[in-house]
Amino acid sequence: MARTNLLTRLVILVLVATLPAAGVLAYLVQDQRAQGRARMADEALRQAELVEAGLANVVDGARQLTLAVSRFDLVRAADPACAAGLRGILPDLPSYGFLAVIDGNGRVICSSEPAAPAYVGAAEAAYIRDAIRHGGFDVGTYMAGDGRHGPSLPVATPFTTASGGQAVVLAGLNLRWLAAHFAELRRPPGSTIGVADRNGVTVIRVPGQDRFVGEPFPPAMRRYVDAPRRGETVAAAFDGQRRLIGYVPAGAGTRGLFVSVGLALPGVMAGLDRTAMAGFALVLAGMLASLAVALWAGQRFVRRPTAALLAVARRWSAGDLAARADLAEAAGSEFGSLALAFNKMASTLDHEQAELRELNATLEQRVGERTRDLTESRNRLQVEMAEREKTETSLRQAQKLQAVGQLAGGIAHDFNNLLTAVLGALDLLRARLPAGQENLVRLVDNARHAAERGGKLTSQLLAFSRHQQLLPVPTDLNLAIVTLTNLLGSTLGRSIRIQTDLVQDLWPAMVDPSQIEAAIINLAINARDAMPQGGVLTIGTRNLTLGVGGNVAAGDYVAVRVGDTGTGMTPEVLGRLFEPFFTTKDIGRGSGLGLSQVHGLAVQSGGDVRVESRLGEGSTFTLLLPRAHALPAAAGPDSGAGRVMSRRRARILVVDDDSDVRQMIGEMLAERGYAVVTTAGAAEALAVLEQDGGFDAMLVDYIMPGRSGVALIEAVRAIRPAMRVLLMTGHVELRAGEAVGAENIIRKPFNVATLDERLEQLLARPVLRAVPDSDASSAG
């Protein structure tokens, strides 16, 4: 009976020991199953977000295409001849079914379809009216195919025609092409892609595009089309199969389109179920093996030694303290050690209790020390994580501004060439118009003003990109602010009171005078917009000496502070304040480049811009500009007679690789009475100078293929040191100005009067100075 009881207890012990492991494994398998489902739900949502991102790229491309078409001259003029241009570009755009230009009354102005009707249908006309009323790029709803084109998704960009009418550029995204495009994306086997318009009508279904396009989304999914946020759910799809679906609602996605990706639920859970069953089978086999081993091991290693110990224990209980356990066990085995322990128990008990008391006394101290160490480590880690996040955020912002700046600088350079030709042509046209043509003169003046505004915009772009050619000189900022006060008073209006806080003995600042005036005007206009009910604009100056640390080097700086009592800014707006094209003003009231220009001027001049603002309490902008160690130069007298005498019948050599700009400069100079020879590059210009040395001056473009304008000037001065030169550029860094001299640079775009004035000043000088050695920058 004793044997049976012992073995039974061993079996129970094995079961008790195994059952928790089985329970833990069951819990882990179930938890793994739940985590696997959660991962698949995240994967479904991630796939939906990837599809939504790809769809956003397609829609953005459609927006750019329709916007570009709306700027075609024939389209602006509402000329039906624009159909040829639409038909010409459509074959290169397989993602579009058609392109059309339609006025607000539904009349088709031009279309890529050869047999397009004169007017669109009622549904299309209603959509066009909604797009015009909306006033911006719009994505429509599903459009069924007809004999001319297949099913499509219409997109529209409204615009104003040259005659003042309203029209739209309408494009149809080819749904069959879109389905084929998204079918090529890598996705889990058996998954589906579904895209619906804001009405819940299917526009893309992969697979089964031809079968399900134009059909309403399944009822189980339609309620998620207008869901407040993206997420995942389990629902029946078109084929009736339950799927794990990740979705991006129309309101949170791409222009009102609902995007979903479904994963087959049985396939998702099958692998997890197989893992669970294998785990349970393994636990059962382990339990059976443990029982068999326990029966054998219990008899051999437990029952026999236990019976011997029980016998000696009975002798001890009977008073035979000399009895000893005689076990056939090694001295180092558990039962052998147990027998020795009984004999030594009395002598060692006191010692063990003493050690236990000592351990309890020191345990609390060690735990406290370890807790302090862990707390300090955690605090240091949190500080390091915060610093790293701040550094990474600053780096990403700097990289973004640098990339946009490089793009803006390149665009502005090319645009300056175009504006130079435009301004020159308009000046010549106005001068050649016969008397009595006031209407034409007014049109030409309007065009000139528009081109000049374009020049200011390129100047802003160059200032933001830090490629603007600055001509810094020692400048008295107090004098500049006093001079601007009257101009600002008439510009800002009577509701704005202007006060100055100018420090006496202000240091001169090293800055471009015209650019700092433009920056102050920009800040003043922003302050006016922040004070719609009126307020106080304060412009002040200070001398500052900064130490090491911050965004600028240690040294002396001149500070210009422009403060207002306006609405102030939120922290979110402050974080994006100097981003290009970011503005909080209404559409049409700002380009978003004003503050970028101010920031670009300050940084390029060697300083910085600091902003203090609280919502409802106004804002203060502080420009830090490096101190100049020379006094501002006094303005010298301007001799008009010298300019008149310098023109005589001067011969000018023009060097520019742009044929339009070269031709227009020649016309401008000829109009002013100069004898002009034009060349297309440095090699041709040197060849002309070798044969003919009778030129009085040379106009050279900075950026040209092969040899730059600065390199050409150095080569010419090596053979003709007395040659007067004028470097034309819209994008020159300071090193180029140092190479040829700031007085020998004229900025693009320029008009006839500016060019004439600079040439007269140039010809009035007897001889140009020598050019110092400099490796002119090739980035312009």
Side-chain angles (χ1 to χ4, degrees):
M1 186 64 179
R3 175 180 177 184
T4 303
N5 289 338
L6 181 59
L7 292 178
T8 301
R9 291 172 184 176
L10 287 174
V11 171
I12 294 174
L13 179 62
V14 171
L15 290 175
V16 171
T18 308
L19 286 176
V24 171
L25 179 61
Y27 170 78
L28 292 176
V29 169
Q30 184 62 27
D31 182 67
Q32 183 179 10
R33 191 173 187 273
Q35 291 182 7
R37 186 189 182 284
R39 286 195 299 272
M40 294 309 297
D42 292 341
E43 176 64 15
L45 180 57
R46 188 184 72 84
Q47 290 286 338
E49 290 173 340
L50 289 175
V51 173
E52 188 271 334
L55 193 58
N57 289 335
V58 173
V59 172
D60 188 63
R63 181 188 66 80
Q64 296 181 20
L65 171 65
T66 54
L67 181 62
V69 171
S70 69
R71 294 176 177 173
F72 290 173
D73 292 339
L74 292 178
V75 172
R76 287 282 184 187
D79 190 343
C82 63
L86 299 184
R87 296 190 191 107
I89 65 175
L90 190 61
D92 295 328
L93 303 170
S95 57
Y96 297 88
F98 65 89
L99 289 172
V101 181
I102 305 170
D103 65 16
N105 298 321
R107 183 177 63 88
V108 179
I109 297 174
C110 60
S111 174
S112 62
E113 300 173 321
Y119 286 85
V120 297
E124 294 173 333
Y127 169 63
I128 290 168
R129 289 193 297 271
D130 288 341
I132 292 175
R133 186 163 49 253
H134 178 263
F137 175 75
D138 186 68
V139 178
T141 57
Y142 171 79
M143 181 183 293
D146 54 23
R148 302 187 307 274
H149 51 78
S152 60
L153 182 66
V155 296
T157 294
F159 68 97
T160 302
T161 64
S163 60
Q166 297 295 317
V168 301
V169 177
L170 184 68
L173 288 172
N174 188 333
L175 296 183
R176 182 174 288 110
W177 181 91
L178 285 177
H181 171 71
F182 286 110
E184 295 176 357
L185 297 179
R186 295 184 61 183
R187 52 192 174 87
S191 62
T192 62
I193 297 175
V195 179
D197 62 20
R198 53 180 170 266
N199 295 329
V201 177
T202 303
V203 295
I204 297 175
R205 177 58 157 80
V206 177
Q209 172 71 8
D210 294 335
R211 179 181 175 187
F212 299 111
V213 67
E215 296 293 328
F217 247 48
M221 288 301 300
R222 293 193 64 181
R223 62 193 182 97
Y224 295 104
V225 172
D226 296 322
R229 62 182 63 87
R230 60 191 67 197
E232 53 86 20
T233 187
V234 175
F238 278 110
D239 53 7
Q241 184 179 5
R242 289 177 62 79
R243 297 180 182 274
L244 185 60
I245 297 175
Y247 61 87
V248 179
T254 304
R255 303 279 188 176
L257 295 179
F258 175 81
V259 179
S260 67
V261 172
L263 305 180
L265 197 58
V268 170
M269 306 306 295
L272 299 176
D273 292 336
R274 286 193 298 269
T275 302
M277 294 302 296
F280 286 124
L282 183 62
V283 170
L284 181 59
M287 291 177 64
L288 295 176
S290 297
L291 287 174
V293 173
L295 291 175
W296 175 82
Q299 177 68 21
R300 171 66 179 81
F301 299 106
V302 178
R303 180 181 174 278
R304 292 177 184 175
T306 302
L309 287 175
L310 182 60
V312 76
R314 287 171 179 170
R315 293 176 64 184
W316 287 338
S317 64
D320 186 5
L321 299 180
R324 294 291 183 265
D326 186 11
L327 302 180
E329 297 283 340
S333 66
E334 288 80 359
F335 284 103
S337 299
L338 183 60
L340 293 175
F342 281 166
N343 297 327
K344 296 178 180 179
M345 183 171 51
S347 60
T348 59
L349 182 59
D350 230 12
H351 179 68
E352 291 175 355
Q353 289 179 346
E355 289 182 349
L356 181 61
R357 287 193 295 269
E358 182 181 357
L359 177 64
N360 289 334
T362 60
L363 179 61
E364 184 176 352
Q365 179 182 356
R366 292 200 301 270
V367 171
E369 293 175 354
R370 183 59 178 165
T371 301
R372 286 193 297 272
D373 292 342
L374 291 175
T375 301
E376 293 176 358
S377 299
R378 184 193 63 185
N379 293 339
R380 287 196 300 270
L381 180 60
Q382 289 177 341
V383 171
E384 292 174 358
M385 290 174 62
E387 289 296 329
R388 178 176 180 180
E389 182 178 356
K390 181 179 179 181
T391 302
E392 289 178 349
T393 301
S394 301
L395 177 60
R396 286 194 297 269
Q397 182 71 4
Q399 290 173 338
K400 180 170 66 173
L401 291 177
Q402 180 183 11
V404 176
Q406 292 174 349
L407 176 61
I411 293 174
H413 168 252
D414 294 338
F415 198 50
N416 273 332
N417 276 341
L418 299 177
L419 289 176
T420 299
V422 171
L423 280 173
L426 290 173
D427 280 348
L428 296 180
L429 179 60
R430 192 182 192 284
R432 295 175 183 177
L433 284 175
Q437 299 291 331
E438 288 75 9
N439 291 336
L440 296 180
V441 170
R442 185 169 60 256
L443 292 176
V444 171
D445 288 342
N446 289 339
R448 289 178 66 250
H449 293 159
E452 289 170 355
R453 288 198 301 271
K456 294 179 181 179
L457 178 60
T458 58
S459 177
Q460 289 178 325
L461 287 172
L462 289 170
F464 161 70
S465 65
R466 306 179 188 177
H467 288 93
Q468 172 79 351
Q469 165 61 27
L470 299 182
L471 302 177
V473 295
T475 303
D476 185 349
L477 294 182
N478 279 349
L479 178 61
I481 292 171
V482 171
T483 304
L484 285 175
T485 302
N486 293 334
L487 172 62
L488 292 176
S490 60
T491 301
L492 303 183
R494 297 182 178 179
S495 63
I496 306 298
R497 180 165 61 89
I498 303 174
Q499 64 183 22
T500 58
D501 181 17
L502 308 179
V503 68
Q504 299 296 325
D505 300 324
L506 184 69
W507 296 331
M510 198 67 181
V511 67
D512 188 320
S514 63
Q515 294 297 322
I516 189 61
E517 290 177 359
I520 295 174
I521 292 173
N522 264 329
L523 294 175
I525 291 175
N526 281 348
R528 177 201 64 188
D529 294 341
M531 298 184 289
Q533 306 301 325
V536 178
L537 173 69
T538 303
I539 306 177
T541 55
R542 290 291 185 275
N543 295 327
L544 295 178
T545 299
L546 302 180
V548 178
N551 296 332
V552 295
D556 294 336
Y557 292 86
V558 181
V560 178
R561 298 169 58 88
V562 179
D564 62 69
T565 59
T567 57
M569 292 175 283
T570 64
E572 292 77 10
V573 173
L574 281 173
R576 301 183 59 192
L577 197 59
F578 298 119
E579 288 186 11
F581 308 111
F582 172 74
T583 178
T584 58
K585 300 179 182 178
D586 296 335
I587 296 176
R589 293 195 59 194
S591 64
L593 286 174
L595 292 180
S596 298
Q597 179 186 13
V598 173
H599 183 265
L601 166 67
V603 174
Q604 192 175 353
S605 299
D608 195 14
V609 181
R610 298 178 179 177
V611 187
E612 302 172 8
S613 180
R614 296 184 64 181
L615 196 62
E617 299 182 9
S619 304
T620 299
F621 288 78
T622 303
L623 277 73
L624 299 178
L625 302 170
R627 175 185 180 181
H629 296 284
L631 295 177
D638 184 12
S639 176
R643 291 201 303 269
V644 173
M645 291 300 294
S646 67
R647 179 177 300 174
R648 42 188 183 85
R649 179 68 174 173
R651 297 185 68 215
I652 309 297
L653 177 62
V654 177
V655 187
D656 198 308
D657 63 306
D658 191 309
S659 59
D660 293 335
V661 176
R662 184 173 65 248
Q663 178 183 358
M664 188 50 58
I665 293 176
E667 291 283 346
M668 294 163 66
L669 294 175
E671 183 76 12
R672 291 294 186 171
Y674 293 101
V676 184
V677 175
T678 62
T679 58
E684 185 178 346
L686 290 173
V688 170
L689 289 174
E690 288 178 358
Q691 298 177 3
D692 185 354
F695 290 98
D696 298 283
M698 181 173 65
L699 272 68
V700 183
D701 186 31
Y702 177 59
I703 297 298
M704 293 186 297
R707 183 178 291 185
S708 69
V710 173
L712 175 60
I713 291 173
E714 292 174 345
V716 170
R717 285 181 174 173
I719 58 176
R720 299 187 185 281
M723 175 64 73
R724 301 174 178 87
V725 296
L726 197 59
L727 185 66
M728 305 177 295
T729 181
H731 195 184
V732 181
E733 297 194 12
L734 291 176
R735 286 176 293 180
E738 295 167 357
V740 302
E743 71 278 5
N744 296 326
I745 295 176
I746 181 170
R747 296 176 182 170
K748 293 180 180 178
F750 50 77
N751 54 26
V752 174
T754 301
L755 178 60
D756 188 35
E757 179 181 0
R758 293 299 304 275
L759 274 177
E760 288 179 348
Q761 294 173 357
L762 182 69
L763 294 171
R765 296 200 299 266
V767 177
L768 291 177
R769 63 178 178 81
V771 180
D773 291 338
S774 173
D775 52 342
S777 171
S778 61

